[in-house]
Amino acid sequence: MAGLDKAIAGATRWIETNLLADTVRVRASATAEPVLDPETGQIEYPQGQVVYEGPGAVIPSSPVDRRTAPEQSQPWSEQYRSSYLLLTPLTAPVLPQGALVEVTAAHSPVSAALLGRNWLTSDPGLASTVDVVRRTPLDQNEAPAGTP
């Protein structure tokens, strides 16, 4: 496949240079239990270990939101989760399911709208026989109040 790798190397370089313009941080899900902070009275959730921090992009993966509670007999209302994809260089690790993803630096005012939001990896990174960028499916967590 050396010939194919050589043929797509230019596309890979272009994507890494032009599309992966923001900085993302990915933390594995924490294994420790939440603890009570006696000074504030707040429960603190431990942060997982950083498994990747570097160039990336978060993009919508579908124009349609997914319903996560479809049963009428359930005692809560339906919830919708927006689906996204995390794009990272091929040199980034395959991310575990349940990892927390944040955009920590934005390249423009448009992508700055992603600051303060976070996502969970819904599956490990996608794989194919021909790749130019690593793709990881995401589910957006509820955005904090005041986030655009």
Side-chain angles (χ1 to χ4, degrees):
M1 296 284 269
L4 178 60
D5 291 342
K6 191 174 183 179
I8 63 174
T12 301
R13 261 190 318 280
W14 188 90
I15 288 170
E16 289 178 359
T17 303
N18 296 292
L19 293 182
L20 306 183
D22 296 329
T23 303
V24 297
R25 178 183 301 134
V26 182
R27 293 181 184 274
S29 55
T31 55
E33 293 291 320
V35 294
L36 176 67
D37 181 340
E39 291 182 20
T40 65
Q42 300 294 315
I43 294 185
E44 293 184 355
Y45 294 88
Q47 293 188 348
Q49 177 182 358
V50 174
V51 292
Y52 175 74
E53 186 162 10
V58 175
I59 61 171
S61 67
S62 168
V64 179
D65 291 341
R66 292 184 303 168
R67 193 172 300 188
T68 60
E71 296 288 326
Q72 280 187 322
S73 61
Q74 294 176 339
W76 57 82
S77 61
E78 292 180 327
Q79 297 175 339
Y80 291 88
R81 271 216 174 150
S82 299
S83 299
Y84 288 79
L85 279 174
L86 171 63
L87 305 179
T88 53
L90 292 174
T91 54
V94 174
L95 302 172
Q97 184 173 358
L100 183 71
V101 176
E102 304 168 285
V103 175
T104 58
H107 77 283
S108 75
V110 173
S111 62
L114 298 175
L115 297 172
R117 297 184 190 189
N118 60 61
W119 300 262
L120 290 176
T121 56
S122 55
D123 285 315
L126 302 173
S128 68
T129 56
V130 178
D131 268 331
V132 293
V133 67
R134 189 168 310 285
R135 299 166 296 133
T136 305
L138 303 174
D139 286 328
Q140 181 174 309
N141 287 326
E142 187 173 325
T147 303

